[in-house]
Amino acid sequence: MFTEDEGRPGSVLGKAQLLLGAFESGAYQLGLTDLSRRSGVPKASAYRLAQELVEWGLLERRGDCYQLGLRVFELGQRVPASAVLRAVARPALADLFAATRATIHLAVLDGAHVLFLEKVAGEANIHSHSRIGGRLPAPATATGKVLLATSPDVDEHLARFAEAGLTHLTSRTVSSVDDLRKQLTVVRAKGFALEIEETMPGVGSLAVPITGADGTVRAAVSTTAPVARLVPKRLLPELRTAAAAIARALDRALLTASEVRNEPFTALQAPVKRATG
């Protein structure tokens, strides 16, 4: 149910989701006023629901502020895209970082954004826009371009971008859906995506898909580095080796899980797209 004036969820569950979603901006703690403002939930309702969420362990109270509770973390570790994919990918991602000394990302498509499941970076981490559990507009990122290009719903994605518009992170971010469509055609042909300064000046990314034995693209892995160090000829073999290793490990993990449950093997699915109202 949505309120007529704001198009926001009107149910208690919907308002609780808005309160939890208020932390997506990156804030670790929010006072009641900020929690109400960012979520769009009236202050009185926000206070009452926040108290209930504290009782459930989904929020924690720290003085006059609220923060996400450990129960959120606990449940998040059981999401298949996180629990399975992250676990099997970590060794290959660590090897990829050691070989390239670039910032490494593991991402899946979540609606119009990429969701970062894992990030491996050294002390010289130059990609401050990204974080585990964070999102960036898919058209602006190398991982996003790979996942869009290989998505069976690519035309639907492009139609939604045409309706909603593209988010510009820098002056070099792809600016039109027609240009994005051309980029995705090239990505499909080459099997990788190269992004130069579309998310951050002076920085670029190179990404390849993680493709299962059944042909399903389940995620993307990328290297992010200063543009001068982003040499596809050198980095692509390392990226493809890591992607293949993750795909094999994921296939084995899912097959083992299906055998234990005595169920047919099913490919790992990306996170369910959230309603936009």
Side-chain angles (χ1 to χ4, degrees):
M1 183 177 72
F2 292 83
T3 58
E4 295 180 358
D5 55 338
E6 297 181 352
R8 293 181 177 274
S11 68
V12 172
L13 184 59
K15 290 178 181 177
Q17 182 270 329
L18 290 174
L19 291 183
L20 296 175
F23 292 90
E24 288 183 332
S25 63
Y28 288 101
Q29 292 188 339
L30 292 172
L32 181 61
T33 299
D34 284 337
L35 189 62
S36 173
R37 178 177 57 82
R38 295 190 185 204
S39 66
V41 177
K43 197 170 182 178
S45 296
Y47 174 77
R48 184 175 65 256
L49 288 173
Q51 294 303 106
E52 290 192 46
L53 292 173
V54 168
E55 292 179 10
W56 298 339
L58 298 174
L59 287 181
E60 292 180 2
R61 188 77 179 266
R62 289 291 182 270
D64 293 330
C65 293
Y66 296 91
Q67 65 186 34
L68 292 176
L70 289 176
R71 182 62 173 160
V72 174
F73 173 79
E74 180 184 355
L75 293 173
Q77 301 310 299
R78 299 181 183 277
V79 176
S82 176
V84 180
L85 184 51
R86 287 181 68 191
V88 301
R90 284 190 188 105
L93 297 179
D95 289 346
L96 182 59
F97 172 74
T100 64
R101 309 310 294 180
T103 299
I104 308 301
H105 294 102
L106 176 71
V108 293
L109 193 63
D110 185 16
H113 296 79
V114 286
L115 172 65
F116 295 106
L117 298 183
E118 193 62 89
K119 177 179 180 178
V120 183
E123 292 183 1
N125 173 24
I126 45 80
H127 205 282
S128 60
H129 284 344
S130 66
R131 57 183 175 81
I132 297 175
R135 292 175 173 81
L136 284 176
T141 66
T143 51
K145 293 180 196 294
V146 161
L147 294 169
L148 288 171
T150 56
S151 171
D153 302 322
V154 60
D155 290 333
E156 294 179 15
H157 285 295
L158 290 171
R160 283 193 289 270
F161 290 136
E163 181 179 353
L166 298 174
T167 300
H168 295 173
L169 300 179
T170 75
S171 61
R172 298 197 63 176
T173 303
V174 60
S175 59
S176 74
V177 174
D178 285 341
D179 287 341
L180 177 60
R181 188 187 301 274
K182 293 174 183 176
Q183 288 184 0
L184 298 184
T185 298
V186 173
V187 170
R188 279 194 296 272
K190 292 186 174 181
F192 69 88
L194 178 64
E195 167 268 307
I196 301 295
E197 296 186 315
E198 291 193 56
T199 61
M200 180 180 289
V203 173
S205 295
L206 185 67
V208 299
I210 296 173
T211 308
D214 61 355
T216 302
V217 173
R218 298 171 183 162
V221 61
S222 70
T223 57
T224 300
V227 173
R229 290 180 47 207
L230 201 66
V231 184
K233 185 176 181 179
R234 180 177 68 84
L235 294 173
L236 270 175
E238 301 287 355
L239 267 171
R240 285 172 170 155
T241 297
I246 295 170
R248 288 193 300 270
L250 185 57
D251 280 340
R252 287 195 299 268
L254 294 176
L255 181 58
T256 299
S258 65
E259 288 175 343
V260 169
R261 296 191 304 267
N262 194 27
E263 297 175 353
F265 172 83
T266 55
L268 181 70
Q269 298 296 313
V272 176
K273 299 173 185 176
R274 296 175 298 172
T276 59

